[in-house]
Amino acid sequence: QKEVEQDPGPLSVPEGAIVSLNCTYSNSAFQYFMWYRQYSRKGPELLMYTYSSGNKEDGRFTAQVDKSSKYISLFIRDSQPSDSATYLCAMSFTGNQFYFGTGTSLTVIP
Amino acid sequence: NAGVMQNPRHLVRRRGQEARLRCSPMKGHSHVYWYRQLPEEGLKFMVYLQKENIIDESGMPKERFSAEFPKEGPSILRIQQVVRGDSAAYFCASSLTGGSNQPQHFGDGTRLSIL
């Protein structure tokens, strides 16, 4: 079983839609959770960084962590064509290793 | 991705040659991490370094791979006697300090192709 599971998609939505991206994980020791956005041929760009359970909001982005269910989500409101990218979840416990999901490919159609 | 510089962006090597990948961290960052990304797979941790020290190399293959982060200059990931299976995108990330409470910022990667 992989440490982090992420549906690869692809996910296609119309412009303005609310997008929900999710990851599940198996290691209950994970405490730090991140979402990255990766455009083609580029490096991952940090979007959201949260610790433990709860919600965090930044502009159109909201990250949720449910440690009891070992489930994290990223919501994108009012999605834009420029949001079209691959979204990676990542998590870590007390070490310096980050465990990444395989990424979900998102296309926002104008 | 501003700040973390990786070069070259693309590297082509023949089987048996050596590949050297360079990474300059963001200004002020003294912690560097290397990851490998294969098609259809997530980023896989390889090694974590501070200046002049390897902190965690648990993700690095035991043979042919080595990494360093000297006191002066960029971090180097070296792959000796490359094989076709080494073809991948190699990403470097840096953080201000170590520990999981410090987010890692990535460069744009080096895409290594083995002929």
Side-chain angles (χ1 to χ4, degrees), chain A residues 2 8 32 34 36-46 49 88 92-103, chain B residues 1 9-10 33 35 37 40-43 45 48 55-56 58-59 91 98-108 111:
Chain A
K2 288 183 179 179
Y32 302 92
M34 285 137 286
Y36 286 86
R37 177 174 61 195
Q38 187 175 23
Y39 293 112
S40 180
R41 298 300 197 182
K42 304 289 277 185
E45 173 193 5
L46 181 65
Y49 184 81
L88 307 171
S92 180
F93 33 94
T94 57
N96 291 288
Q97 285 196 37
F98 283 71
Y99 295 84
F100 282 80
T102 52
Chain B
N1 298 325
R9 290 296 309 278
H10 303 274
Y33 313 80
Y35 290 81
Q37 187 175 43
E40 310 305 322
E41 294 188 22
L43 286 155
F45 169 83
Y48 160 45
I55 306 302
D56 181 353
S58 59
F91 288 94
S100 293
N101 62 342
Q102 289 293 321
Q104 296 180 6
H105 299 270
F106 284 80
D108 283 339
R111 278 150 186 86

Side-chain angles (χ1 to χ4, degrees), chain B residues 9-61:
Chain B
R9 290 296 309 278
H10 303 274
L11 182 61
V12 179
R13 285 288 178 265
R14 296 189 181 279
R15 282 179 294 171
Q17 291 184 322
E18 178 179 285
R20 284 195 178 200
L21 289 61
R22 295 175 184 78
C23 170
S24 296
M26 285 181 70
K27 187 176 182 180
H29 287 194
S30 59
H31 297 250
V32 164
Y33 313 80
W34 286 94
Y35 290 81
R36 178 164 60 179
Q37 187 175 43
L38 292 167
E40 310 305 322
E41 294 188 22
L43 286 155
K44 302 291 186 190
F45 169 83
M46 298 181 74
V47 62
Y48 160 45
L49 310 103
Q50 286 179 283
K51 286 281 187 182
E52 300 184 279
N53 287 304
I54 297 174
I55 306 302
D56 181 353
E57 58 182 346
S58 59
M60 196 122 85

